Amino acid sequence: RAGARGAAMEPECRVLSIQSHVVRGYVGNKAATFPLQVLGFEVDTVNSVQFSNHTGYAHWKGQVLNSDELHELYEGLKLNKVNRYDYVLTGYTRDTSFLAMVVDIVQELKQQNPNLVYVCDPVMGDKWNGEGSMYVPKDLLPVYRDKVVPVADIITPNQFEAELLTGKKIYTEKDALEVMDMLHAMGPETVVITSSDLQASLGNDYLIALGSHRKTKADGTRITQRIRMESPKVDAVFVGTGDLFAAMLLAWTHKHPNNLKVACEKTVSAMQHVLQRTIKSAKVQAGEGNKPNSAQLELRMVQSKKDIENPEIIVKATVL
């Protein structure tokens, strides 16, 4: 009984998540909301787009929210005095004025609650076969670099995005640590490079992610905790994995605020459970010898509820 009562007393933690929405499948808010709710967070969603499905399918239809409409929704919250949040979470955006409006909202929410944590996945592009390319308009880069990252507390770029933001290429782990330091200097105290081309000690079938948490103590001294993780590559193109990663990192850093190692282990292990379940199920649906399609590769989110809530640690982090 005491346990149940204790749980009820846990203060409410509320997230404002500004991301895309799909009717069918799991990307953006659809990929972030369920895991956050399962982990005990109240999630208020603003859907930056409403599409029938993600754009990796042959067809998609839907509507896009513009910056004025975003502002109008926020004004409604403000008029009712329910614009107090513990976290803001953002992902993929294609529009500079929308992104600038997000920054305005984050700054205003930080005035309401100075402890608010802004988790930003600066989605701009990726590398294919070693070549990086942007899949958002190029004019988003200066907005991310000069306006968004400075107000963010946690950022989750991939290697290509980290290179874009700092103007420095990563060839070695030492380069990656320098890039993370440059990103810390821009504002965020937690930086996780979610994937990189760095050579994993476990071999080519593994992907390296790196994390860095910099805290300034009351006496002004800085402590930096850095970790490296090697997780098995899964041979398929999934959509929504970055959105799921950022949401779970938000949750686990909240639950383990001074232990980036444990937060990342839980996040990456849960990712692995979801991806393994998804690929297994997709292959069964596609049938022997057939390549699974976009619909079959939608993340098995609901089926992974137990793994999201309480992930068995299958990927360990090394403290650097």
Side-chain angles (χ1 to χ4, degrees):
R1 289 304 306 224
R5 210 166 45 238
M9 291 309 292
E10 203 176 297
E12 175 184 284
C13 194
R14 197 169 276 275
V15 181
L16 178 64
S17 181
I18 306 174
Q19 299 196 61
S20 42
H21 169 81
V22 287
V23 175
R24 171 67 185 254
Y26 292 97
V27 300
N29 272 333
K30 281 284 289 285
T33 305
F34 178 74
L36 284 168
Q37 287 174 328
V38 159
L39 289 164
F41 294 79
E42 286 288 351
V43 188
D44 293 358
T45 55
V46 173
N47 298 326
S48 55
V49 307
Q50 169 163 267
F51 285 172
S52 52
N53 45 267
H54 73 68
T55 57
Y57 285 74
H59 309 279
W60 70 90
K61 298 276 187 194
Q63 299 82 36
V64 177
L65 193 75
N66 65 36
S67 54
D68 291 341
E69 291 161 335
L70 167 62
H71 185 249
E72 194 181 337
L73 290 172
Y74 177 69
E75 281 299 304
L77 296 171
K78 204 160 114 178
L79 288 168
N80 290 310
K81 298 185 170 50
V82 289
N83 60 333
R84 195 183 185 288
Y85 288 94
D86 302 288
Y87 286 89
V88 174
L89 175 63
T90 64
Y92 180 76
T93 304
R94 286 196 65 84
D95 180 68
T96 50
S97 63
F98 191 90
L99 201 51
M101 179 61 67
V102 167
V103 173
D104 291 346
I105 290 171
V106 169
Q107 285 173 317
E108 192 168 310
L109 290 173
K110 282 192 170 193
Q111 284 168 351
Q112 291 272 4
N113 173 17
N115 297 321
L116 179 133
V117 173
Y118 173 27
V119 181
C120 170
D121 185 4
V123 183
M124 289 182 283
D126 209 344
K127 289 191 179 185
W128 286 274
N129 310 324
E131 275 305 300
S133 68
M134 286 180 76
Y135 42 60
V136 299
K138 296 233 181 318
D139 54 1
L140 261 74
L141 172 58
V143 183
Y144 271 116
R145 189 186 56 222
D146 305 335
K147 294 194 168 134
V148 181
V149 173
V151 296
D153 301 283
I154 299 176
I155 56 169
T156 59
N158 57 31
Q159 177 180 332
F160 177 63
E161 290 156 349
E163 291 174 344
L164 283 177
L165 288 168
T166 56
K168 180 178 166 64
K169 286 264 191 269
I170 296 173
Y171 300 104
T172 63
E173 192 171 280
K174 185 173 168 289
D175 292 336
L177 299 181
E178 285 172 20
V179 163
M180 291 197 289
D181 281 341
M182 290 165 80
L183 290 167
H184 283 311
M186 291 161 76
E189 50 171 55
T190 303
V191 176
V192 177
I193 297 178
T194 54
S195 62
S196 70
D197 331 332
L198 295 174
Q199 183 59 49
S201 62
L202 294 169
N204 291 335
D205 296 336
Y206 285 79
L207 202 63
I208 287 195
L210 295 157
S212 179
H213 177 65
R214 175 181 284 181
K215 210 151 177 62
T216 307
K217 298 207 310 216
D219 63 4
T221 53
R222 283 204 300 227
I223 24 177
T224 308
Q225 184 190 10
R226 304 180 185 286
I227 56 129
R228 178 181 66 234
M229 311 193 72
E230 305 194 5
S231 52
K233 283 182 185 167
V234 185
D235 183 29
V237 177
F238 299 102
V239 182
T241 49
D243 308 323
L244 174 60
F245 185 99
M248 289 195 299
L249 186 69
L250 182 164
W252 291 117
T253 51
H254 176 77
K255 291 174 194 290
H256 303 282
N258 295 311
N259 197 332
L260 185 65
K261 180 181 188 289
V262 170
C264 285
E265 284 175 344
K266 289 189 174 181
T267 300
V268 174
S269 294
M271 288 293 305
Q272 277 297 317
H273 291 300
V274 174
L275 295 183
Q276 298 298 347
R277 177 173 289 109
T278 301
I279 190 73
K280 212 191 244 160
S281 156
K283 282 179 170 165
V284 170
Q285 285 184 58
E288 196 64 49
N290 297 327
K291 210 170 138 68
N293 63 26
S294 289
Q296 291 158 342
L297 285 167
E298 289 285 6
L299 298 177
R300 294 293 177 275
M301 197 74 80
V302 174
Q303 298 82 346
S304 303
K305 176 174 177 282
K306 286 194 172 70
D307 293 317
I308 291 167
E309 265 179 304
N310 190 13
E312 180 200 338
I313 303 296
I314 50 175
V315 181
K316 283 272 205 290
T318 312
V319 176
L320 301 176

